Amino acid sequence: MIELMFAAALANSIAAPYGIHARAEWGTPRPNIHLVLENQSKVKAWLVDVTCNAYDVRGALVAVSTGNVAQLKPGERAETWATADAEAPAVRFACKVGVSEWQRPN
């Protein structure tokens, strides 16, 4: 049971609004994070921002990585990077995707 709790505590996570599918993985060097974002809604997503917090083994915040995509049309997929200022001994990340505005396509 303790091993399961420890594994869950070290799992990477990403939260995105309804309609946006997001996938993330470590980049090189850490704590840079490679993201694939897909708009699965029927409206345009404007100013898609990503913020990722990177944590060390003890759970302490060691870096904040950010990235963005100007717009995602319905069905469009884009790759981006959340980058940090310097390398850090990160073992886990938690990312949050935000959309500034949703607009119907012309």
Side-chain angles (χ1 to χ4, degrees), residues 10-100:
L10 290 179
N12 296 324
S13 66
I14 186 164
Y18 182 78
I20 299 290
H21 176 75
R23 188 169 35 104
E25 62 189 12
W26 285 114
T28 304
R30 287 186 183 192
N32 294 336
I33 299 167
H34 177 241
L35 297 123
V36 178
L37 306 171
E38 182 178 359
N39 184 354
Q40 296 179 342
S41 74
K42 296 182 192 281
V43 294
K44 285 183 186 177
W46 288 89
L47 298 175
V48 180
D49 294 314
V50 179
T51 302
C52 298
N53 293 333
Y55 303 93
D56 67 11
V57 181
R58 298 180 325 267
L61 179 67
V62 293
V64 176
S65 305
T66 59
N68 63 54
V69 175
Q71 74 172 357
L72 280 175
K73 296 176 184 173
E76 185 177 16
R77 180 181 294 171
E79 293 188 38
T80 190
W81 286 86
T83 57
D85 292 336
E87 288 187 46
V91 297
R92 180 180 81 82
F93 63 79
C95 296
K96 183 176 181 184
V97 179
V99 175
S100 294

